[in-house]
Amino acid sequence: MRMLSQEEEHDDSAEVTWEDQQRINSFSKLNTRLRAIEEKIQELKQEKEALDDISMELELADEDQPVMYRIGEAFIHLPHPRAVRRLEKDLGKLNAELEKNTSRAEETEKQMKELKVILYAKFGRAINLDE
């Protein structure tokens, strides 16, 4: 990394073209999308943690007793083996959704990096693309 001279540091004369504005807008949209995806990932991780805890509880539970299992906003009584199968199915869906969102976040970050390179190359310190 090189040091900028005083002239380069205060050089705000770069003209913003229509294409540049489109890139800035795209970066902003990607940034907003990334924040939403990261929030969703956090929610999914918390839900996965809760399902993992439930899985541990079901391993310790009596197999003859019915289990209260949440489906949507309601709880229903399920036989233990059926509740275990349902839990495994729900965990599988959750893991697939978590993986999908993680790959979407990675792709969004990749696109943002590409735009950062282009925009910083043209505008240097005159533009701030960090949070």
Side-chain angles (χ1 to χ4, degrees):
M1 194 177 237
R2 68 180 180 89
M3 295 283 293
L4 293 176
S5 68
Q6 289 290 334
E7 297 145 5
E8 289 176 321
E9 190 171 328
H10 297 292
D11 185 20
D12 296 336
S13 63
E15 185 177 325
V16 179
T17 63
W18 185 83
E19 290 86 13
D20 295 331
Q21 188 61 49
Q22 294 306 312
R23 288 183 185 115
I24 293 168
N25 292 345
S26 294
F27 183 86
S28 177
K29 288 176 188 176
L30 289 170
N31 192 34
T32 302
R33 184 179 307 149
L34 181 61
R35 299 299 154 245
I37 293 170
E38 287 174 344
E39 286 178 22
K40 182 69 174 174
I41 288 172
Q42 283 305 111
E43 290 173 15
L44 291 171
K45 284 182 178 179
Q46 289 175 349
E47 191 173 338
K48 183 181 183 324
E49 204 172 292
L51 288 179
D52 287 339
D53 291 345
I54 292 169
S55 176
M56 293 296 286
E57 289 293 325
L58 281 178
E59 287 178 12
L60 301 173
D62 185 16
E63 292 190 16
D64 297 335
Q65 294 285 331
V67 176
M68 295 282 291
Y69 196 86
R70 187 182 89 176
I71 299 179
E73 298 294 319
F75 287 89
I76 61 170
H77 288 280
L78 289 177
H80 187 274
R82 189 169 172 202
V84 170
R85 285 193 307 272
R86 178 75 185 220
L87 180 64
E88 289 171 355
K89 179 181 167 188
D90 289 348
L91 268 171
K93 285 181 183 178
L94 188 70
N95 284 331
E97 190 173 348
L98 188 59
E99 188 175 310
K100 180 182 87 172
N101 279 295
T102 302
S103 68
R104 282 180 57 206
E106 289 170 355
E107 180 62 31
T108 302
E109 285 176 341
K110 179 183 170 192
Q111 292 173 352
M112 287 173 68
K113 280 184 181 180
E114 291 171 2
L115 286 171
K116 269 186 180 183
V117 168
I118 294 168
L119 293 170
Y120 277 132
K122 178 159 184 177
F123 298 107
R125 297 183 73 182
I127 190 168
N128 182 9
L129 301 174
D130 295 322
E131 289 186 35

